[in-house]
Amino acid sequence: MDAIDATLPPPVNYLNAQHGIKSWLLTRDHKRIALLYLFGITFFFVLGGIFAALIRLELLTPAGDLMEAETYNKMFTLHGVIMIFFFLIPSIPATLGNFLVPIMIGAKDLAFPRINLLSWYIYMVGGLFTIAVIVLGGVDTGWTFYTPYSTAASNTHVVLTGLGVFITGFSSILTGLNFIVTIHRMRAPGMTWFRLPLFIWSHYATALIMVLGTPVIAITVLLVAAERVLHLGLFDPKLGGDPVLFQHLFWFYSHPAVYIMILPAMGVISELVAAFSRKAIFGYNFVAFASLAIALIGFLVWGHHMFVSSQSVYAGLVFSFLSFLVAIPSAVKVFNWTATMYKGSISFQAPIMYVFGFMGLFLVGGLTGLFLASVGLDVHVHDTYFVVAHFHYIMVGGAIMGFQGGLHYWWPKIFGRKYPEGWAKLAALVIFVGFNLTFFPQFLLGYLGMPRRYYAYPPEFQVLNIMSTAGASVLAIGYLIPAIYFAWSLKYGELAEANPWGAKGLEWTIPSPPPTYNFEETPVITEPPYNYTPEFVASVTAASRPEVELG
């Protein structure tokens, strides 16, 4: 790998090809739009994190002595709404996906560049509604907006929050549509379906959920707003409505939405496992089809959220079976990643640390999901902190670990600068320790019977809550460290070569940062993905460690 001469002027790339705010706000370059999304989701992540910190501070003591019950209800509602709809769902697809999907398939942009920019503006407009809700006094329904409380009893800004989610949903639909058309129609010559990187398979499956599922939640929150304003009697039993109908509609989208959050992270992990093991993914076809299986079966399991909602025992039995079934393709991925790393030439750099963290935390989250899919056990732990812990092991332990791993892996490609490796490894360790200290005690709290969403609790639960709050402090430090060294690297980081990791993939064949139109000439694909031949691995090893002679 050739060294970069820092004394030469930087070559023209997508970052410096145009200057000025207008060039960013009117850009049609998928890479610049990815950065616009990155800044947007970072803002909402910080905002949602502040609400999370306030929640944990309230739960430091048994008595509700930091805030009133009504204020606490607004805190956990805004934390959930912001983190799910404005951070987790768009995090990987809208940033890494936007940046990498065209490059990985050999295209010069997404199929609809103007629609791509429109999706960011729609996302920001929806976010402004949520910020307006915060300024005007908040919302207290929980992020699930359960009826009839949200339609008939709450006197907070439910309609405004619902409109924010409704508007943002269109951003998700447009992004998914763009990905589907791009992957179908714009692949480079020779890029057959089974030469696609697994990152692309994951985003294709995610896009299907975005397009098919998001309209359901958009219509559902619109119906909640209509119910509040017009008193239609859709969900309010006093007016002849059925509150359980809302749960069916809400979870029909919101369980597949879990896979919108986790599937892209799985795509990232597949890329990292191959790159840092120097091996082709074990069972590539199985991992690819597992993504589609998760997407499709995910639409059939929503009823496991409703085991205690008066649905029939037989419906509960079917949903329980299907919930166990959807765990199989996830397990296939984990086993195949493990088999890939077995006897691989593993390079212990910062991104692989997030892979190990992801696999450990996702495994715990997945196994506890099977507990919740069991009807008898779910009745005991439903609406307790056990559910909170399970959800966060999947979403924070899985989705955010994957996002952080991807960000560390592709950061040199995105900005053309390297970050300090030692600090990155330390951050991964701090995040892993802080996360487990925060959320593992919540499994115990939930099993012992502490309900979620309560701002006060019996004194016997205080020790575990103190551990959880202490862990949240460590976790916050873990997230702050990368923010600092990433910002530092933008100016002071070492210049990155085209392929700093010695990885396979089209994105590593172009300069760092990439030029505006990605490729001077459309590439022609002649080999399978992850073609880590012994000769390639030997050449990479020799380039990174020239003092070692390879026989």
Side-chain angles (χ1 to χ4, degrees):
M1 289 174 280
D2 298 329
I4 305 291
D5 188 348
T7 61
L8 296 175
V12 176
N13 57 63
Y14 80 99
L15 290 170
N16 61 18
Q18 293 178 297
H19 298 280
I21 294 176
K22 183 179 177 181
S23 71
W24 283 87
L25 295 180
L26 298 179
T27 185
R28 286 176 285 169
D29 185 349
H30 67 101
K31 299 180 291 298
R32 284 192 165 205
I33 294 169
L35 295 191
L36 292 175
Y37 266 115
L38 180 61
F39 298 137
I41 68 162
T42 301
F43 170 77
F44 284 111
F45 179 72
V46 172
L47 200 58
I50 290 170
F51 290 126
L54 292 171
I55 292 168
R56 288 311 323 163
L57 287 173
E58 170 59 66
L59 295 174
L60 201 54
T61 57
D65 47 12
L66 180 64
M67 59 186 84
E68 298 294 328
E70 293 81 4
T71 307
Y72 181 80
N73 291 345
K74 293 174 181 177
M75 290 293 129
F76 71 70
T77 300
L78 288 166
H79 167 67
V81 168
I82 290 170
M83 283 301 203
I84 289 167
F85 295 111
F86 296 95
F87 174 71
L88 284 168
I89 287 175
S91 59
I92 297 178
T95 55
L96 298 177
N98 244 330
F99 193 96
L100 292 164
V101 164
I103 301 175
M104 282 186 163
I105 65 172
K108 294 192 174 182
D109 208 316
L110 287 170
F112 307 115
R114 288 185 175 88
I115 289 179
N116 195 22
L117 179 61
L118 176 63
S119 71
W120 178 74
Y121 276 106
I122 291 173
Y123 167 78
M124 294 306 296
V125 170
L128 289 175
F129 273 81
T130 306
I131 293 169
V133 170
I134 298 170
V135 173
L136 294 173
V139 60
D140 68 350
T141 60
W143 74 273
T144 52
F145 302 106
Y146 268 12
T147 59
Y149 180 72
S150 63
T151 54
S154 176
N155 58 3
T156 57
H157 299 280
V158 179
V159 173
L160 201 59
T161 311
L163 283 175
V165 173
F166 176 78
I167 291 167
T168 305
F170 285 96
S171 171
S172 199
I173 293 169
L174 294 176
T175 299
L177 177 69
N178 228 336
F179 284 173
I180 290 171
V181 175
T182 303
I183 293 167
H184 269 279
R185 304 295 300 167
M186 298 182 68
R187 303 193 306 275
M191 179 66 81
T192 62
W193 281 95
F194 293 103
R195 285 177 176 172
L196 288 173
L198 290 167
F199 183 86
I200 301 297
W201 277 100
S202 290
H203 276 75
Y204 183 75
T206 303
L208 292 175
I209 303 173
M210 287 174 164
V211 171
L212 297 175
T214 309
V216 178
I217 189 67
I219 292 167
T220 304
V221 296
L222 198 62
L223 290 175
V224 169
E227 174 96 337
R228 278 184 70 90
V229 176
L230 303 175
H231 307 289
L232 299 177
L234 295 167
F235 308 122
D236 189 348
K238 185 172 65 176
L239 300 173
D242 183 2
V244 178
L245 171 62
F246 171 84
Q247 294 190 37
H248 279 290
L249 292 171
F250 182 85
W251 289 114
F252 182 79
Y253 163 79
S254 294
H255 194 84
V258 171
Y259 303 116
I260 293 178
M261 305 174 215
I262 202 67
L263 271 171
M266 290 175 162
V268 170
I269 298 304
S270 294
E271 299 301 316
L272 269 57
V273 166
F276 292 96
S277 300
R278 300 285 185 246
K279 284 176 66 181
I281 291 290
F282 180 86
Y284 167 94
N285 289 10
F286 283 93
V287 178
F289 283 119
S291 295
L292 295 179
I294 290 169
L296 296 175
I297 302 172
F299 278 105
L300 306 176
V301 301
W302 78 91
H304 70 219
H305 293 272
M306 302 165 62
F307 285 153
V308 298
S309 69
S310 76
Q311 74 178 359
S312 77
V313 175
Y314 302 105
L317 180 67
V318 171
F319 282 122
S320 178
F321 171 77
L322 289 170
S323 299
F324 276 82
L325 186 65
V326 79
I328 293 173
S330 297
V332 165
K333 286 175 177 275
V334 174
F335 284 125
N336 283 30
W337 293 329
T338 306
T340 304
M341 288 190 283
Y342 179 65
K343 291 189 175 179
S345 178
I346 297 178
S347 175
F348 289 95
Q349 292 167 287
I352 198 73
M353 301 301 168
Y354 287 97
V355 171
F356 297 143
F358 173 95
M359 290 177 68
L361 300 179
F362 180 73
L363 187 65
V364 174
L367 289 174
T368 52
L370 297 179
F371 295 3
L372 296 171
S374 305
V375 181
L377 187 56
D378 183 75
V379 170
H380 173 66
V381 297
H382 186 83
D383 261 340
T384 69
Y385 265 86
F386 192 95
V387 179
V388 176
H390 156 72
F391 182 80
H392 283 82
Y393 263 83
I394 296 291
M395 293 300 93
V396 183
I400 299 183
M401 272 285 187
F403 179 59
Q404 287 274 12
L407 208 54
H408 282 79
Y409 181 53
W410 283 294
W411 186 269
K413 178 59 58 180
I414 295 171
F415 292 104
R417 296 277 185 172
K418 297 180 181 180
Y419 49 81
E421 182 74 17
W423 280 103
K425 290 179 180 177
L426 175 65
L429 179 64
V430 172
I431 289 172
F432 184 80
V433 172
F435 177 87
N436 282 290
L437 186 57
T438 303
F439 293 107
F440 195 83
Q442 295 180 14
F443 281 126
L444 306 179
L445 287 167
Y447 187 76
L448 293 172
M450 180 174 169
R452 62 178 174 176
R453 300 182 173 179
Y454 279 36
Y455 84 120
Y457 55 86
E460 57 263 30
F461 294 143
Q462 186 174 11
V463 172
L464 290 169
N465 271 294
I466 288 173
M467 290 174 63
S468 192
T469 300
S473 305
V474 176
L475 187 60
I477 294 169
Y479 288 136
L480 184 62
I481 294 171
I484 293 171
Y485 64 67
F486 277 150
W488 175 88
S489 74
L490 293 177
K491 185 173 182 181
Y492 301 105
E494 180 186 344
L495 293 175
E497 55 270 29
N499 190 0
W501 307 114
K504 300 292 283 188
L506 286 178
E507 73 269 31
W508 303 113
T509 64
I510 59 177
S512 302
T516 301
Y517 293 107
N518 301 338
F519 301 95
E520 296 293 335
E521 297 179 3
T522 302
V524 177
I525 312 305
T526 58
E527 62 179 35
Y530 317 117
N531 192 27
Y532 287 96
T533 60
E535 294 78 18
F536 178 82
V537 173
S539 66
V540 168
T541 306
S544 59
R545 294 200 300 269
E547 72 281 2
V548 178
E549 291 187 8
L550 295 168

